[in-house]
Amino acid sequence: MERVERELFWSEHKKLWRRASVKISVLLCFTYVVVFGSVLSFQWFSLGSLSGYSTGFGNNFDGYSVIRDSQAYTLPFAGDLTDETIQQLVRDYQRMYREGLEEESQRTDYLTVNLWLRALWPELEDSADYRQMIYYVDPEKLTGLYERRTQALETFLENNGQSGREKEAILKLEEKAGKPFRYAWTRGWSILLCNIIGDMGTVMALFLAIALSPVFSGEWHDHTGFLVMTTKNGRRGIARAKICTGIAFAIELSVLLTAGILAAQLFFLGTEGWDASVQNIKMLAVAPMNMLQAEIYEFAFTLLGAVGYAGVVMLISAAAKNNVLALLLCLAVTYVPPVAAQYLPYGAQKAMDLIPLVGSGTDLLRTNTFSLFGRYVWSPYLLLAVPVLAGVLCMPFAVRKWARGR
């Protein structure tokens, strides 16, 4: 029996990969995520040196050298993030500005530092000065980094309606983030986590829907559904093979994209800054993680979300019996909730993030929680587990629906 099931699986697997739409989808997805989203982003429109144009596409094609120069510049400041570290970074940037060293100043970490200044020392911002704070703020006044961060975080939670036990749960989680934070040049990591991997699931959903929505409905479209039902391996055996094929394809696509992103990351960023705290990206983040841990989480989130989404897609495919309808419904699962969320209560908006590939791995930089049985659970934990469970629960229903043949 196991041999028959393996043969069925490989037969369905080969059948899936032989389809031209699947090959084109994989190629386009890889090109968009890895070539444009990773390689060209690092080398050109995200980290290329400024050329005077108003958009990133006007940047120079020199991201590799800019990254190396930026890492070399911040290396003397790397280590524990203290008041003195920020003061030195601000003081050195202001020196370059006074001396007209504009090209050199672009290699500094001024964008990250300026975000810290606005978040933690808002009273020092001059509303009459159109420049960023790092240009004019007095470095000597940049003191009390961690005390100010705690105060800013508590104020943010209160303003966000997160008080009482929810606030306590978040602050308890925040205590696990070791202090002082580790500092390094992390702009490249920020682009990687917030844009490249953060958007990977949304892009994958489109191509997974195109590739997997005809898995069951295609049999009805090609008028082979009833023929399949009459074979000795029909009904449940065929259905299980198709389900396993869909899961395998989701994993294969995720692994392919992950490998491409990692190759681009190692070439452009190397391993420099892997142990820096995620608070370098967002100072008010409560995640007790460094950059490498955050990257592992986001890749796991995308992989598990893809498996969950594959389960949902195949249930829709088994129920729809029409290729076009199946595709539209599959796309609606991912792309309608973000549009509809703005018209729904906040609780419903958060619940929609639990739909496979609707939420984002970048939630680890936020303070969102879910209330379960009177306890507050940090949203990244549920975003990792619930989508894949939802997809797994859909799979038996897909098998049953296909086996009934109606």
Side-chain angles (χ1 to χ4, degrees):
M1 183 66 180
E2 291 182 0
R3 179 185 174 186
V4 173
E5 290 180 349
R6 285 198 300 270
E7 290 177 351
L8 283 174
F9 167 74
W10 286 115
S11 176
E12 290 293 333
H13 190 266
K14 292 177 182 178
K15 179 180 177 181
L16 177 69
W17 275 99
R18 280 198 297 265
R19 295 210 319 262
S21 61
V22 172
K23 296 177 182 178
I24 294 173
S25 294
V26 171
L27 177 61
L28 291 176
C29 190
F30 185 86
T31 301
Y32 185 88
V33 173
V34 177
V35 178
F36 285 96
S38 301
V39 176
L40 293 181
S41 179
F42 287 138
Q43 179 65 16
W44 183 19
F45 44 80
S46 290
L47 292 176
S49 60
L50 302 179
S51 63
Y53 292 94
S54 59
T55 67
F57 294 100
N59 290 352
N60 294 313
F61 198 78
D62 58 355
Y64 183 86
S65 61
V66 170
I67 292 170
R68 292 293 174 270
D69 290 343
S70 298
Q71 290 174 333
Y73 171 81
T74 55
L75 190 59
F77 305 99
D80 292 344
L81 180 62
T82 62
D83 293 348
E84 290 72 22
T85 305
I86 296 180
Q87 290 171 1
Q88 291 171 8
L89 287 166
V90 172
R91 192 176 292 115
D92 200 48
Y93 184 85
Q94 291 178 350
R95 175 190 61 80
M96 293 181 183
Y97 176 67
R98 289 194 303 270
E99 295 176 3
L101 303 176
E102 183 177 354
E103 185 174 347
E104 289 186 24
S105 68
Q106 297 300 320
R107 269 63 174 175
T108 68
D109 210 7
Y110 73 98
L111 292 174
T112 298
V113 175
N114 196 70
L115 290 175
W116 297 346
L117 298 179
R118 296 190 63 185
L120 303 182
W121 291 276
E123 76 279 3
L124 299 180
E125 187 170 10
D126 185 356
S127 59
D129 197 324
Y130 65 91
R131 298 173 300 174
Q132 299 185 54
M133 285 182 68
I134 195 171
Y135 284 93
Y136 60 80
V137 71
D138 184 358
E140 300 301 325
K141 295 182 179 180
L142 303 176
T143 58
L145 167 63
Y146 293 102
E147 294 80 2
R148 283 179 168 270
R149 179 184 174 274
T150 300
Q151 181 180 1
L153 177 59
E154 292 182 354
T155 301
F156 171 79
L157 294 176
E158 293 289 344
N159 293 338
N160 202 39
Q162 296 175 291
S163 57
R165 288 186 300 162
E166 183 178 12
K167 179 181 177 180
E168 292 176 7
I170 295 172
L171 293 179
K172 186 176 181 180
L173 174 67
E174 191 272 338
E175 290 175 359
K176 298 179 182 179
K179 300 181 185 68
F181 299 138
R182 296 289 297 174
Y183 171 71
W185 184 78
T186 52
R187 189 181 172 203
W189 285 94
S190 176
I191 293 171
L192 179 71
L193 296 176
C194 297
N195 301 117
I196 298 174
I197 309 177
D199 295 339
M200 178 177 161
T202 303
V203 177
M204 284 182 63
L206 170 63
F207 298 103
L208 283 173
I210 295 173
L212 298 181
S213 60
V215 166
F216 288 106
S217 64
E219 301 289 357
W220 300 111
H221 180 270
D222 297 334
H223 305 291
T224 58
F226 290 106
L227 178 62
V228 169
M229 295 301 176
T230 61
T231 64
K232 64 178 180 178
N233 298 317
R235 301 196 175 195
R236 296 187 181 277
I238 295 278
R240 285 193 292 267
K242 288 180 178 293
I243 292 290
C244 291
T245 296
I247 296 173
F249 178 79
I251 294 174
E252 289 161 357
L253 180 60
S254 182
V255 170
L256 177 64
L257 298 179
T258 298
I261 292 173
L262 287 176
Q265 173 194 345
L266 290 174
F267 178 78
F268 286 99
L269 302 180
T271 58
E272 183 72 27
W274 70 269
D275 59 344
S277 306
V278 295
Q279 285 74 20
N280 283 265
I281 298 176
K282 185 177 180 181
M283 185 56 71
L284 298 186
V286 297
M289 298 181 182
N290 59 35
M291 296 296 171
L292 180 59
Q293 292 168 333
E295 180 180 23
I296 293 173
Y297 171 86
E298 290 199 1
F299 276 132
F301 168 85
T302 304
L303 173 62
L304 294 176
V307 172
Y309 185 67
V312 174
V313 168
M314 287 182 288
L315 174 58
I316 294 174
S317 179
K321 297 186 179 180
N322 180 283
N323 282 351
V324 175
L325 178 60
L327 176 59
L328 292 177
L329 291 175
C330 292
L331 293 177
V333 168
T334 300
Y335 298 109
V336 170
V339 177
Q342 58 184 317
Y343 305 106
L344 298 175
Y346 180 64
Q349 294 179 29
K350 291 201 301 180
M352 284 187 171
D353 287 341
L354 299 174
I355 300 173
L357 297 185
V358 171
S360 172
T362 57
D363 233 46
L364 62 86
L365 298 175
R366 305 186 182 101
T367 61
N368 295 334
T369 64
F370 288 91
S371 179
L372 295 178
F373 308 108
R375 299 188 63 180
Y376 287 95
V377 181
W378 190 40
S379 65
Y381 295 147
L382 292 183
L383 290 176
L384 197 65
V386 174
V388 66
L389 290 177
V392 170
L393 290 174
C394 287
M395 294 174 189
F397 293 100
V399 172
R400 184 181 304 176
K401 183 65 179 177
W402 172 254
R404 289 177 178 176
R406 59 182 186 272

